[in-house]
């Protein structure tokens, strides 16, 4: 197949342009692959679930009779072990589950010790 001489620069320009668009799109344009999109969606779903369950945990914790005493005890525990304190209390175990989720327990402890902040997941 013989390509006319004046078509060769057009074809080369189209190829270089397509490569440049792909580089700009993936680097600065916010384009992502399907795998990256799925990973981000899974992380967002997990974070939303943890936030929802942490609020349930905190409400259950506050509903106990001696909640103020327990919250004071929680605030005296080191920050890295507060999630463990909540796990051991049993309030991070959701109905239908046999074990506590450590992310939920940490977010619940954050919510209980800093009620003005949103728990970080």
């Amino acid at each position: 197949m013989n390509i006319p001489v004046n078509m060769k620069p057009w074809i080369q320009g189209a190829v270089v342009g397509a490569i440049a668009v792909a580089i700009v799109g993936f680097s600065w344009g916010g384009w992502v692959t399907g795998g990256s999109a799925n990973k981000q969606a899974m992380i967002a779903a997990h974070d939303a679930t943890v936030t929802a369950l942490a609020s349930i945990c905190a409400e259950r914790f506050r509903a106990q009779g001696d909640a103020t005493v327990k919250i004071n005890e929680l605030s005296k525990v080191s920050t890295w072990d507060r999630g463990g304190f909540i796990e051991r209390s049993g309030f991070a175990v959701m109905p239908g589950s046999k074990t506590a989720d450590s992310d939920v327990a940490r977010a619940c402890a954050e919510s209980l010790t800093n009620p003005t902040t949103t728990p970080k997941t």
Side-chain angles (χ1 to χ4, degrees):
M1 175 167 122
N2 292 332
I3 299 175
V5 176
N6 61 353
M7 285 297 290
K8 191 172 185 179
W10 286 93
I11 294 171
Q12 289 174 339
V15 169
V16 170
I19 291 170
V21 166
I23 290 171
V24 169
F26 281 104
S27 298
W28 298 292
W31 298 356
V32 293
T33 62
S36 295
N38 286 339
K39 184 177 179 182
Q40 291 172 357
M42 294 296 289
I43 290 170
H46 179 265
D47 291 349
T49 302
V50 166
T51 301
L53 295 179
S55 64
I56 293 169
C57 169
E59 287 305 313
R60 290 174 58 200
F61 193 91
R62 287 185 190 109
Q64 62 184 329
D66 57 347
T68 55
V69 173
K70 295 291 186 179
I71 290 174
N72 286 335
E73 285 179 25
L74 176 64
S75 64
K76 292 176 185 174
V77 174
S78 65
T79 55
W80 62 270
D81 193 36
R82 288 181 181 169
F85 181 88
I86 297 295
E87 283 185 56
R88 290 187 295 277
S89 73
F91 291 105
V93 178
M94 293 296 123
S97 178
K98 293 182 178 150
T99 60
D101 184 335
S102 60
D103 292 337
V104 171
R106 279 192 300 272
C108 180
E110 177 74 21
S111 169
L112 290 167
T113 56
N114 299 319
T116 59
T117 62
T118 304
K120 295 175 185 166
T121 54

